[in-house]
Amino acid sequence: MITYIIRRFLYALPLLMAVNVLTFVLFFVVNSPDDMARMQLGQKHVTEQAIQNWKHQHGYDLPLLWNGGQAGGKQLTDTIFYQKSVNLFLFDFGISDSGRNIGTDIRQRMWPSLALALPSLIVGLLVNITLALLMVLFRNTYVELGSSVLCVMLMSVSSLFYIIGGQFLIGKLLKLVPISGYDSGLAALKFLILPVIISVVAGIGSGARWYRTLFLEEVEKDYVRTARAKGLTETQVLFKHVLKNAMIPILTGVVVVLPLLFMGSLIMESFFSIPGLGSYTIDAINRQDFAIVRSMVFLGSVLYIAGLLLTDISYTLVDPRVRLS
């Protein structure tokens, strides 16, 4: 397994480099260093000297990818791409274009993101699996038909509708919880209840249907017929045998997203004013802060690769027959 993990890490290096290059190219196709300087200086009539000073202070006065004015290796190293990218692979995110320490911001903002994402994942997983098992329990009845139609209807509604509707109904009309905001410690719970509920409700349609499909495939297998022949009730068959044997595809969907919980939800955090990494990324895009954008894209890529690796390892824990080679 150690050899497999090392090989996967080595495969990840060119992938991370490709993601870094693509992020760099896409960002500077849309924005030039001059545009970034004007945005950061925040003035309508910025002098050319002020723009040049800002670019020099932040390292944007170099060529983008290739420095033809230098010789040898400096043609590659004396460029914006190299200067801004090489430290990423050492997880040194540096200073943002607005002057803040990106590493410190990430360490501070990942906790509100986790506080929102982790309960949403756990509660959503329990609700979706339970509903899916109930739909399979009452298969070929009007209960399953009605549930399937309801799931399709829930899937057809935009997540923005759930957010705006939930804020209006629960936050404004009923005044049960605050509409938006955040606080430290246990005081943050009242701000997290509404976004967690909305996250769970918005994911019921697709989640319950997907787990239902998994369980329907399992109930047609021989071991289920054997369990029924031994006199087990349908409830015992579903919750003791079918659920256990469907854990591998369930783990695939869960483990791969665990590292990404640190990244937060772009939309949810922005609408509910939660100071997590999702809103941090959105704010950086709006400010054209390339240092933060490239750091968050790189970090997201690393966490996604780590999630895939954890998924492969979890296979061996759930099913001993699986061997990594």
Side-chain angles (χ1 to χ4, degrees):
M1 182 182 293
I2 300 299
T3 303
Y4 175 82
I5 293 174
I6 294 174
R7 189 166 63 248
R8 286 293 297 268
F9 274 121
L10 293 177
Y11 289 159
L13 291 177
L15 179 60
L16 291 174
M17 180 60 73
V19 169
N20 198 25
V21 171
L22 184 60
T23 304
F24 182 87
V25 171
L26 290 177
F27 188 89
F28 282 102
V29 163
V30 179
N31 306 284
S32 68
D34 288 355
D35 295 332
M36 296 165 58
R38 293 188 182 93
M39 176 67 71
Q40 294 298 327
L41 292 172
Q43 300 174 16
K44 294 183 179 179
H45 303 289
V46 183
T47 64
E48 186 64 27
Q49 185 61 43
I51 292 176
Q52 296 302 322
N53 290 339
W54 185 92
K55 288 165 60 177
H56 180 72
Q57 291 172 3
H58 294 82
Y60 291 107
D61 55 340
L62 298 172
L64 293 178
L65 292 168
W66 185 259
N67 193 339
Q70 298 291 342
K74 288 189 175 181
Q75 290 181 324
L76 179 63
T77 58
D78 284 357
T79 59
I80 295 177
F81 174 76
Y82 184 87
Q83 298 291 337
K84 298 295 184 182
S85 300
V86 66
N87 289 332
L88 286 178
F89 290 87
L90 301 175
F91 293 95
D92 180 8
F93 300 115
I95 305 299
S96 69
D97 295 337
S98 57
R100 294 181 60 84
N101 187 293
I102 299 176
T104 301
D105 284 346
I106 290 175
R107 287 189 291 272
Q108 291 176 347
R109 286 175 170 265
M110 72 178 187
W111 300 113
S113 292
L114 278 176
L116 171 61
L118 200 57
S120 299
L121 174 66
I122 295 174
V123 176
L125 189 65
L126 293 175
V127 170
N128 290 336
I129 290 178
T130 302
L131 291 177
L133 287 171
L134 291 174
M135 291 168 68
V136 175
L137 180 64
F138 293 101
R139 61 188 178 279
N140 302 323
T141 65
Y142 287 111
V143 174
E144 185 196 24
L145 178 61
S147 301
S148 299
V149 172
L150 181 60
C151 285
V152 173
M153 293 174 60
L154 292 174
M155 290 172 58
S156 304
V157 178
S158 170
S159 59
L160 294 178
F161 175 83
Y162 292 111
I163 295 174
I164 297 172
Q167 287 180 324
F168 179 77
L169 178 63
I170 301 178
K172 186 174 181 179
L173 291 184
L174 301 179
K175 300 184 185 302
L176 298 177
V177 291
I179 294 178
S180 64
Y182 196 73
D183 205 343
S184 59
L186 295 177
L189 289 176
K190 62 183 179 182
F191 295 102
L192 293 172
I193 293 175
L194 182 56
V196 168
I197 291 175
I198 292 175
S199 296
V200 172
V201 173
I204 286 178
S206 57
R209 276 177 57 86
W210 186 65
Y211 291 125
R212 169 181 169 273
T213 302
L214 294 179
F215 297 144
L216 284 176
E217 292 178 358
E218 290 293 325
V219 296
E220 300 299 328
K221 294 183 177 179
D222 292 338
Y223 76 87
V224 175
R225 286 192 288 269
T226 302
R228 292 190 186 118
K230 291 181 178 180
L232 296 179
T233 64
E234 192 68 15
T235 304
Q236 290 175 321
V237 170
L238 286 176
F239 285 89
K240 289 186 178 181
H241 295 277
V242 172
L243 180 59
K244 180 181 178 180
N245 286 278
M247 284 304 295
I248 285 185
I250 292 175
L251 276 175
T252 304
V254 173
V255 178
V256 74
V257 302
L258 284 179
L260 294 177
L261 297 180
F262 291 92
M263 298 299 294
S265 170
L266 300 178
I267 297 177
M268 201 67 70
E269 290 181 6
S270 297
F271 269 88
F272 288 95
S273 301
I274 296 175
L277 292 177
S279 59
Y280 185 56
T281 305
I282 290 293
D283 293 341
I285 294 173
N286 292 332
R287 296 197 311 267
Q288 297 181 7
D289 195 321
F290 173 66
I292 296 177
V293 173
R294 65 176 171 79
S295 298
M296 297 308 298
V297 172
F298 180 84
L299 183 60
S301 302
V302 171
L303 292 175
Y304 183 73
I305 292 171
L308 294 178
L309 181 60
L310 288 175
T311 302
D312 292 341
I313 295 174
S314 67
Y315 282 166
T316 63
L317 301 177
V318 176
D319 190 347
R321 296 171 298 176
V322 177
R323 291 290 182 268
L324 300 179
S325 59

